[in-house]
Amino acid sequence: MILLGHNLGGFLAVSYSIKNPGRVKHIILVEPWGFPEFQETVEADRPIPVWIKALGAMFSPFNPLAGLRLVGPLGLTLVQTLRPDFKKKFSSMFLDNTVSEYIYHLNVQSPSGETAFKSMTGSCGWAKRPMLDRLDQLHPDIPISIIYGSRSCIDSISASSIKEMRTNSHVEIITIRGAGHYVYADQPDDFNHKVLQVCENVH
């Protein structure tokens, strides 16, 4: 199969492919999370305030979206207020609050995926076991296509690292102009076109 994963899904796609190489013909990573090692980039003149560190320590035992479940029915209003961008991204398909309601109901359920992500995450949202450290275990015959949005906050340096590490394998880096982290929502036509192109070239 052709396995595509966005964000954490990219990390899981490669993990799966390492364990089951015979089941994967091609991997498509979209804005993948968890590949580089933790970088200590805090500037000396911009230290993290003590109160933020204290809050982080206080809330560390909880899942990231525990607050959303805690407020009950008010959670939907909270999603609509804090993330109005979700509605804007899909405005060409939905004029009502379908997307906000979907995001709310998706995250208010039993937090299995959220709990898994928390257990995989270390300091400041970095992966405890970075995928670049295990990439040599991925079969060299499995090609990888990596898609990034040109306006994304996710650093695309990992893609260059993957290309450097897999010199005897096919690694393609694709940039979608005008797209942020949610590439498929920001530039859906261009994204779908690129993915279909990749799929058509898989033998």
Side-chain angles (χ1 to χ4, degrees):
M1 62 181 156
I2 299 168
L3 196 54
L4 183 151
H6 173 259
N7 201 9
L8 171 61
F11 184 92
L12 297 178
V14 176
S15 296
Y16 178 88
S17 302
I18 287 172
K19 289 195 171 185
N20 304 281
R23 296 180 181 176
V24 181
K25 273 192 169 184
H26 197 109
I27 301 171
I28 304 176
L29 303 176
V30 184
E31 294 271 319
W33 168 87
F35 280 69
E37 289 187 355
F38 173 67
Q39 304 286 326
E40 195 66 70
T41 55
V42 180
E43 297 174 22
D45 59 336
R46 292 178 62 192
I48 299 172
V50 175
W51 67 272
I52 290 182
K53 287 183 180 178
L55 274 178
M58 188 170 72
F59 288 108
S60 63
F62 302 99
N63 281 329
L65 295 170
L68 185 66
R69 288 181 285 278
L70 190 66
V71 297
L74 293 175
L76 179 56
T77 305
L78 197 65
V79 170
Q80 292 169 345
T81 305
L82 297 178
R83 296 303 306 265
D85 57 308
F86 283 137
K87 186 175 179 179
K88 285 180 187 174
K89 283 182 192 298
F90 295 95
S91 59
S92 62
M93 290 185 283
F94 303 103
L95 298 175
D96 56 10
N97 291 317
T98 298
V99 175
S100 301
E101 289 173 9
Y102 171 73
I103 297 293
Y104 167 70
H105 287 292
L106 192 69
N107 290 296
V108 83
Q109 307 299 322
S110 177
S112 56
E114 191 182 329
T115 302
F117 181 68
K118 184 176 181 296
S119 71
M120 295 161 65
T121 307
S123 178
C124 302
W126 295 76
K128 286 180 182 175
R129 296 182 63 211
M131 188 53 69
L132 287 180
D133 291 350
R134 289 180 280 155
L135 204 64
D136 59 340
Q137 298 173 37
L138 181 65
H139 198 286
D141 288 347
I142 301 177
I144 303 176
S145 297
I146 311 161
I147 301 176
Y148 284 98
S150 66
R151 294 170 52 222
S152 174
C153 58
I154 301 292
D155 197 335
S156 61
I157 290 176
S158 291
S160 301
S161 299
I162 292 170
K163 200 172 179 71
E164 287 170 14
M165 293 171 72
R166 292 178 65 81
T167 51
N168 297 319
S169 306
H170 174 82
V171 178
E172 177 186 18
I173 303 170
I174 301 166
T175 303
I176 306 288
R177 295 189 64 181
H181 180 57
Y182 297 98
V183 194
Y184 49 85
D186 293 335
Q187 298 292 340
D189 292 338
D190 198 9
F191 175 78
N192 291 340
H193 177 68
K194 297 291 187 189
V195 170
L196 285 172
Q197 270 189 329
V198 170
C199 293
E200 285 168 1
N201 290 325
V202 174
H203 303 294

